[in-house]
Amino acid sequence: MTASFEEWRAELLHVGNIVQDGDDSIGWSERQARFNRYVEMLDALKGSEGFEYVLAVFESLKAENDYGAYQIADRAAWRFGEISYCTALINELPRLIEGLPDRAGDLVGSIANAYGTKDESIIRVFNQLLSEVSPADKQDIDGFIRQEEGPTGWLRDRAGVLGSNA
């Protein structure tokens, strides 16, 4: 990567704010170019660039309809390892819960779905890091997790797996 981190981050946040179908202010070729650049930037991440990069990946999740791009972002974030992934996600969860609750549910659901698999250690990392955040953030995230454990929530089949008291 030749750009400074600040330039890279600014571009990622711009192209990661996926243009929505109802937005006629941006032409289709520009929409496609932004989407493709976002995917290209994510694919270029190795996972060794530093924590600020994985945090920027989660910061780039801004659009309601991502047309599959945010799954690519999640895979890119995983390359940074469990601790960086969970730290960055927990940092951004309050914003995601407020503005993109389905995305937040999908992300915590993917962690909970590691239960009983070779990747189950991610659950312990998430829960430990969650127990160390500010009381306000912990309360918000734990409340969201409990809500998503309901009959129609992302965690309905994984109740009790996630949370600072799990």
Side-chain angles (χ1 to χ4, degrees):
M1 291 182 202
T2 58
S4 72
F5 169 73
E6 292 79 18
E7 293 169 328
W8 180 89
R9 180 181 176 272
E11 182 179 5
L12 186 76
L13 295 180
H14 175 70
V15 296
N17 192 8
I18 307 297
V19 180
Q20 303 297 282
D21 282 340
D23 183 354
D24 295 329
S25 68
I26 299 168
W28 282 103
S29 62
E30 176 65 19
R31 291 178 195 212
Q32 185 175 21
R34 287 185 191 182
F35 183 93
N36 290 341
R37 177 63 179 149
Y38 184 61
V39 170
E40 177 185 330
M41 292 177 77
L42 294 168
D43 283 344
L45 292 171
K46 305 278 187 263
S48 59
E49 292 84 356
F51 176 75
E52 65 272 13
Y53 284 84
V54 70
L55 182 59
V57 169
F58 283 113
E59 289 173 335
S60 74
L61 308 179
K62 296 181 178 248
E64 185 68 33
N65 298 308
D66 64 283
Y67 313 106
Y70 293 166
Q71 287 78 11
I72 296 166
D74 189 45
R75 284 195 308 270
W78 275 104
R79 290 184 208 121
F80 288 82
E82 292 177 342
I83 294 172
S84 292
Y85 180 94
C86 289
T87 302
L89 174 59
I90 289 168
N91 186 76
E92 286 299 301
L93 264 177
R95 176 186 66 81
L96 292 169
I97 289 166
E98 178 69 27
L100 296 170
D102 280 341
R103 178 67 50 214
D106 183 34
L107 291 166
V108 297
S110 72
I111 292 172
N113 284 335
Y115 183 77
T117 73
K118 66 177 180 55
D119 298 318
E120 189 170 347
S121 61
I122 188 80
I123 295 169
R124 289 186 297 281
V125 170
F126 179 88
N127 289 342
Q128 178 60 44
L129 291 169
L130 179 59
S131 73
E132 298 169 3
V133 300
S134 73
D137 284 348
K138 187 184 317 177
Q139 181 177 357
D140 289 347
I141 295 169
D142 276 337
F144 178 74
I145 288 169
R146 298 293 85 81
Q147 172 189 318
E148 292 303 313
E149 290 176 338
T152 60
W154 286 92
L155 302 171
R156 66 186 167 273
D157 297 326
R158 295 287 186 246
V161 171
L162 294 181
S164 60
N165 296 319

